[in-house]
Each structure stands twice: as structure tokens, then as C-alpha cells.
Amino acid sequence: MINKKYEHLKKWLEQLPEQFEQLGEVIYDNRNQLRVIEAPDGTLVNAKRYCVPRQPNRLIYSLGIRQPKGLRAFTYPTRLLERGIATPEPIAYIEQRNRLGLLEECYFVSVQSPLRHTLYEFGDAREGSYEEMARELGRFTAMMHDREVLHLDFSPGNILWDKDADGYHFAVVDINRMHFGLVSIKDGCAAMRRLWGPKRFIELIARSYAQGRGFDEDEAVRLTMEARTAFWTRYQRRHAQPPFPLEL
């Protein structure tokens, strides 16, 4: 599948699976791999290769019972952009199947976001350096949820940001896990449980979020912090220590 705007890249995109390992710069490499690549027309793109799904998901995706992650990553941006929520423009979705028709690796290609920062930078932020950001992020999150978009992996690496003379700008990435529909205060606050940063930073985000949605601030803080404590407590059972100074 190719975004009509990028039909001129069709031949290059068709060859991408074969050439993927030799192209661009690796910026993430775990089960899936992410590369920043310059396309033949000079467009800087973000290409993600999804590994072969584990069973039973491989069968579920292959039979069309559920869309593969890469296909969701290709179709969801349009829904967000139509709602005025920034996310990189999709370019193409490519999938490979074996002789039995079972899904193997698939690829999602998008325009590389111009935003230069992620929320990882606030893991050990000090008081006085994060207050404005917290309030702006709370407002951005409230806007998303008011427009019936709930990012189910609302984590530091999936929230991009930058600041210029016009203020803060945000975009969301890795959006293959989304809920479209009404977002309750409980679900909205729970979505912020993975965020990094000092306790007060998270509390400020929750208060700004509540203001943006017309919720009770103290209730939003309580729900957010309860969800955060539960998430990071579970995390510590599986890992030695969170990758930032954790205050619960």
C-alpha cells in the first residue's frame, strides 16, 4: 500500500525489503528495527521493520482476523491527522508472506518527524525546568482525548516534542495500538502511567490535563498517580530498577 502522494517512490519502496539492511541509520534495534533513510527524492523517511509475529498472532494477522501492526501504523495516522493530532505522514506499508500465505516481516514507512526531542529527557529533570512543559503536555493530552483518540502506548519514546517562538509542539508515534472513541477520566489518567519524570512533573501534567477536560484536578491526580504506582511497582518486579529516579 502506498500513499498516493508518494507514488513516485513506488519502485524504490518495492525494493526496500531487499535493501533495508544496507540503507540509512539504525535508531532502534530490538525485535523490530527502525531506520532513518533518505529516499531517492531527498525525503527523509522513517522505516520500521516488524519481525515475524509470534503465534497465535501470526495466524490471526495472516487470516485477516486482525490487522498486522504495520498496517495499523499505516492507516491510523490519517485518522489522527484528520483530528488535528500531529503524527508523521504515512508513506507505505509493505508485507512479505511465505508460500502458505503466512505473514512474515512487514514494513511501515513514514516521513521523518522534524521534532527533535522525546520525553526521555525529563527522567531526571529538576524543579524549575519542567513546569511549562508539564502544563503544555497536559493540554495536548486533553486535546487528544477530547477528540476521541487514546494512545495505548503513551510512553516517553512515543511522544515527540520541540519548542520554538510559537511555543511547544507535540506529535505521537508508534501508534499501532490506539482506541478511537470516548475517553473517560479513568482511562485518560491511566494512559499517563508510563511517563517518566519526577513525581511533581507527573502531578502537574495530570492537573493541566484535568483543566483541559473540565475534570476535578485532585481526582485526576489521584487516578494518575495510582495507575503510575501500580505500573512501576510491577515494572520493578521484572527489572532491577526503572531507568530513571523513581518517586512513588
Side-chain angles (χ1 to χ4, degrees), residues 22-154:
Q22 287 76 48
L23 296 174
E25 175 188 358
V26 177
I27 59 172
Y28 179 82
D29 191 11
N30 200 338
R31 292 192 68 240
N32 305 317
Q33 189 177 104
L34 201 58
R35 289 175 176 262
V36 175
I37 303 169
E38 184 174 337
D41 67 348
T43 301
L44 201 61
V45 308
N46 190 294
K48 185 172 186 177
R49 181 178 64 192
Y50 294 86
C51 66
V52 179
R54 297 186 176 123
Q55 297 293 1
N57 280 338
R58 188 180 189 189
L59 189 60
I60 290 171
Y61 295 153
S62 299
L63 295 177
I65 298 171
R66 189 180 181 207
Q67 288 187 336
K69 290 181 179 180
L71 181 54
R72 279 177 270 148
F74 177 73
T75 58
Y76 285 174
T78 301
R79 300 176 72 173
L80 268 65
L81 294 169
E82 288 174 348
R83 290 167 166 82
I85 300 167
T87 193
E89 184 180 24
I91 294 177
Y93 167 68
I94 307 161
E95 65 177 39
Q96 296 180 307
R97 292 180 179 250
N98 64 18
R99 293 179 181 179
L100 297 176
L102 293 176
L103 183 68
E104 297 195 326
E105 293 173 336
C106 61
Y107 299 78
F108 167 59
V109 185
S110 68
V111 174
Q112 174 70 7
S113 173
L115 303 186
R116 299 169 296 170
H117 305 280
T118 71
L119 287 189
Y120 287 126
E121 297 169 34
F122 288 86
D124 57 356
R126 296 185 178 183
E127 193 168 336
S129 67
Y130 56 66
E131 286 77 4
E132 185 183 10
M133 155 63 88
R135 295 185 183 99
E136 292 298 327
L137 179 57
R139 283 191 275 270
F140 172 74
T141 308
M143 177 272 288
M144 284 182 58
H145 294 176
D146 273 343
R147 297 179 185 181
E148 301 189 353
V149 173
L150 179 66
H151 196 319
L152 298 177
D153 190 5
F154 200 60

